[in-house]
Amino acid sequence: MWGRRRHHDNDDSSYKSKNLHAERRRRQKLGDRLLTLRSLMTKETIIEDSITYIKELQTNVNILQEQLFEMEASAQEAPEPRKEEVDAELMKKFGIQIGVDVAQIDGNRLWVKAILEKKRGGFTKLVEAMTYFGFELTDTNVTTSNGAMVVSSILTGFHCDTLLHVEHTREVDARDH
C-alpha cells in the first residue's frame, strides 16, 4: 500500500498543481479585469467632470455675451463725445484761448507762438502751411496740456514779402479778436 499511496500522493500533488496553476491564472485574469474596470471608471469620471465643467463655461459665456450686448446697446444710446470735442471743452474750462503771437527777431527771422486745439494731425498741418508760405521752422517746441497745443518756433523766411504778409496777418487777427 505504501506504493499505492506514494503513487496516489504523486497523482494528488500533480492534480493539486494543475488546479493551483489554473487558480492562479484565474485570479490573475480577474485582477487584470478589475484594474481595467477601475481605469475605465476613472476615465468615465474624468469625462463626466469635463462635461460638467464645459457646461459651466458655456453658461458663463452666455452670461458675458448678454452683458456685452447690454453694454453695446447702452453705448449706442448715448454716444461718447469725440476726442477733439473733449479737448476743446478742456481748453474752455481752463480759460485757454486760441491765439498766435509773432515777433520779428531780425531781418528774415520770426519767433512764433501758436496756441491751438490739440487735434490729431494739427501740428503736421501747421508745419505744412508754414512750408507752403516759404518758412523753415527751427528751434521748435511743442507742448500739450488740457486740450491745448502750444507751438513755439523760430521761422526763417525765404522772402521778405512773405514776412510782411505774416505781419499783416497778425494785425488782421488782432483786430478780429
Side-chain angles (χ1 to χ4, degrees), residues 66-143:
E66 288 176 17
Q67 290 176 354
L68 180 63
F69 290 141
E70 289 173 4
M71 290 171 63
E72 288 175 348
S74 66
Q76 288 177 355
E77 292 170 4
E80 291 185 22
R82 293 186 0 216
K83 178 86 170 107
E84 289 87 13
E85 293 172 359
V86 172
D87 290 340
E89 289 174 16
L90 277 174
M91 286 182 64
K92 290 176 186 173
K93 178 181 175 184
F94 288 99
I96 300 171
Q97 295 181 354
I98 295 173
V100 177
D101 289 325
V102 179
Q104 190 164 5
I105 296 174
D106 57 31
N108 66 344
R109 291 178 16 160
L110 297 174
W111 173 81
V112 177
K113 177 179 92 172
I115 301 173
L116 314 163
E117 285 183 32
K118 182 176 140 186
K119 291 184 179 180
R120 184 180 301 258
F123 179 71
T124 304
K125 289 178 183 176
L126 176 67
V127 171
E128 288 172 352
M130 293 297 176
T131 304
Y132 176 77
F133 286 116
F135 291 105
E136 178 184 350
L137 282 80
T138 59
D139 301 322
T140 303
N141 183 6
V142 178
T143 306

Side-chain angles (χ1 to χ4, degrees), residues 9-177:
D9 284 341
N10 285 342
D11 286 340
D12 198 26
S13 66
S14 67
Y15 178 75
K16 286 182 182 178
S17 173
K18 286 181 184 178
N19 284 339
L20 184 62
H21 290 299
E23 182 63 24
R24 283 185 184 161
R25 280 191 308 243
R26 186 185 72 79
R27 286 182 188 163
Q28 183 66 38
K29 284 182 182 179
L30 184 60
D32 291 344
R33 289 180 180 155
L34 281 173
L35 286 174
T36 303
L37 181 60
R38 285 184 190 148
S39 71
L40 289 175
M41 289 174 64
T42 302
K43 288 177 186 176
E44 179 186 2
T45 304
I46 291 171
I47 292 171
E48 285 176 353
D49 289 346
S50 298
I51 290 171
T52 303
Y53 182 65
I54 289 170
K55 286 180 180 178
E56 288 175 13
L57 289 176
Q58 286 175 334
T59 303
N60 289 341
V61 165
N62 292 337
I63 291 170
L64 291 173
Q65 280 180 335
E66 288 176 17
Q67 290 176 354
L68 180 63
F69 290 141
E70 289 173 4
M71 290 171 63
E72 288 175 348
S74 66
Q76 288 177 355
E77 292 170 4
E80 291 185 22
R82 293 186 0 216
K83 178 86 170 107
E84 289 87 13
E85 293 172 359
V86 172
D87 290 340
E89 289 174 16
L90 277 174
M91 286 182 64
K92 290 176 186 173
K93 178 181 175 184
F94 288 99
I96 300 171
Q97 295 181 354
I98 295 173
V100 177
D101 289 325
V102 179
Q104 190 164 5
I105 296 174
D106 57 31
N108 66 344
R109 291 178 16 160
L110 297 174
W111 173 81
V112 177
K113 177 179 92 172
I115 301 173
L116 314 163
E117 285 183 32
K118 182 176 140 186
K119 291 184 179 180
R120 184 180 301 258
F123 179 71
T124 304
K125 289 178 183 176
L126 176 67
V127 171
E128 288 172 352
M130 293 297 176
T131 304
Y132 176 77
F133 286 116
F135 291 105
E136 178 184 350
L137 282 80
T138 59
D139 301 322
T140 303
N141 183 6
V142 178
T143 306
T144 60
S145 178
N146 299 321
M149 175 173 55
V150 178
V151 180
S152 63
S153 183
I154 303 292
L155 299 180
T156 305
F158 296 113
H159 305 287
C160 289
D161 295 341
T162 309
L163 290 175
L164 294 174
H165 179 66
V166 170
E167 285 295 322
H168 178 68
T169 304
R170 180 176 178 241
E171 291 171 8
V172 170
D173 186 45
R175 279 185 280 171
D176 289 342
H177 290 289

